[in-house]
Amino acid sequence: MDWYPLRLTTPVKQHVFGGRALAERLGRTGLPDGQVAETWEVSDVDGEGARVADGPLAGRTLRRLVEDHPGELVGPGWRGPRFPVLTKFIDATGALPVHLHADDDTARRLEGEPHGKTEAWHDLDAAPGATALVGVKAGVDRETLHRALLAQDFDAVMRRLPMRSGQTVYVPGGTLHSFGPGTLVYEIEQTSDIQQHAMRRHMEDGSELDDEEWHTNLGRLLDEWRPGPRPEFHSVMESVQTHCGRSTSRT
């Protein structure tokens, strides 16, 4: 196979927290009018899979390519049912809903999925004072978290961290989180769209959930929540220095 640079189609999500940053700051063209929250740059999520946009492989799905050429696309010896990485640009003009994604074990046990959704965010742009909610405070148990979620009092139980352009954070599956408003993020994650939300409204259109659906969502979230992870943001240079230090210590 003559592997030229593959340009893929990109699913677009017009969730209510989006704005126009992807067009205005990144220069993306071909976007729909109105709020645009996410573009899925590389996606093999069921029902949202990318296709090759042009060239001799035009129209071929990413899933078909990874089935036919796993070693070339992912790495020698790799095999799997789908391309393993999902990447997105996210415009958090408004705050994302507080939510989590199951880790691998929980996804297999409760979601019937082969793996969960661990992710990392790289902050491309952050307004002064922009923050993220990432993980819960020490000592928060299930009952305490449940009471805070019912009150929608997230700061009572979650860690609020400053966001700065150029920083990155690794967010293991099961970590309760949100970011924004006023941030533009590049996200890389496992290929999955499983998630549990804590909010009273749908993120797609802002419509209100009825009480039964909301309480069901909270129960599922609590079942998939992991209390331990407390991620921190790091600059690129900090990550390089840490890696170089570890490499040096081994030589």
Side-chain angles (χ1 to χ4, degrees):
M1 179 66 68
D2 181 15
W3 291 103
Y4 58 95
L6 295 176
R7 290 198 317 118
L8 301 175
T9 59
T10 54
V12 174
K13 301 297 179 180
Q14 293 191 271
H15 303 324
V16 293
F17 57 81
R20 296 300 300 173
L22 300 184
E24 295 171 359
R25 300 185 199 177
L26 297 185
R28 292 297 300 269
T29 60
L31 297 176
D33 294 336
Q35 296 168 300
V36 175
E38 303 178 3
T39 56
W40 293 15
E41 300 299 304
V42 176
S43 173
D44 196 13
V45 172
D46 289 341
E48 299 287 357
R51 293 178 177 270
V52 179
D54 52 20
L57 295 174
R60 193 81 61 90
T61 65
L62 179 58
R63 183 162 302 181
R64 176 65 184 275
L65 287 181
V66 82
E67 288 172 351
D68 293 346
H69 306 281
E72 293 92 333
L73 278 179
V74 182
W78 182 87
R79 294 293 185 274
R82 66 190 73 174
F83 191 76
V85 175
L86 170 65
T87 67
K88 303 177 180 181
F89 287 114
I90 301 179
D91 174 4
T93 292
L96 269 68
V98 172
H99 66 288
L100 60 73
H101 313 286
D103 63 14
D104 289 348
D105 290 341
T106 305
R108 288 190 285 266
R109 181 167 51 87
L110 297 182
E111 299 279 358
E113 292 287 335
H115 57 75
K117 189 175 180 181
T118 286
E119 57 192 34
W121 321 331
H122 181 69
D123 196 358
L124 300 172
D125 193 18
T131 62
L133 292 167
V134 193
V136 300
K137 299 174 182 178
V140 171
D141 59 16
R142 180 183 173 115
E143 182 180 350
T144 302
L145 178 58
H146 191 198
R147 287 198 302 266
L149 297 182
L150 289 171
Q152 301 282 274
D153 186 4
F154 306 115
D155 280 285
V157 290
M158 296 185 69
R159 303 162 65 247
R160 186 173 291 277
L161 306 179
M163 295 187 75
R164 299 184 179 92
S165 301
Q167 291 192 323
T168 301
V169 63
Y170 173 79
V171 183
T175 306
L176 197 62
H177 63 275
S178 170
F179 56 80
T183 59
L184 178 61
V185 166
Y186 179 70
E187 194 169 87
I188 182 168
E189 54 208 320
Q190 291 175 279
T191 297
S192 172
D193 198 33
I194 57 174
Q195 53 194 311
Q196 302 299 338
H197 286 244
M199 314 303 286
R200 297 282 328 227
R201 296 183 178 276
H202 294 282
M203 69 175 181
E204 292 81 6
D205 60 6
S207 61
E208 188 170 354
L209 279 70
D210 62 44
D211 285 346
E212 182 179 358
E213 183 178 5
W214 181 51
H215 286 288
T216 298
N217 289 352
L218 292 184
R220 292 176 64 90
L221 181 152
L222 291 166
D223 288 341
E224 299 186 8
W225 167 60
R226 290 180 57 203
R230 293 181 177 84
E232 298 287 347
F233 283 91
H234 298 279
S235 69
V236 172
M237 283 308 299
E238 286 172 338
S239 298
V240 170
Q241 290 167 354
T242 298
H243 175 74
C244 289
R246 289 174 180 168
S247 298
T248 302
S249 68
R250 291 195 295 267
T251 59

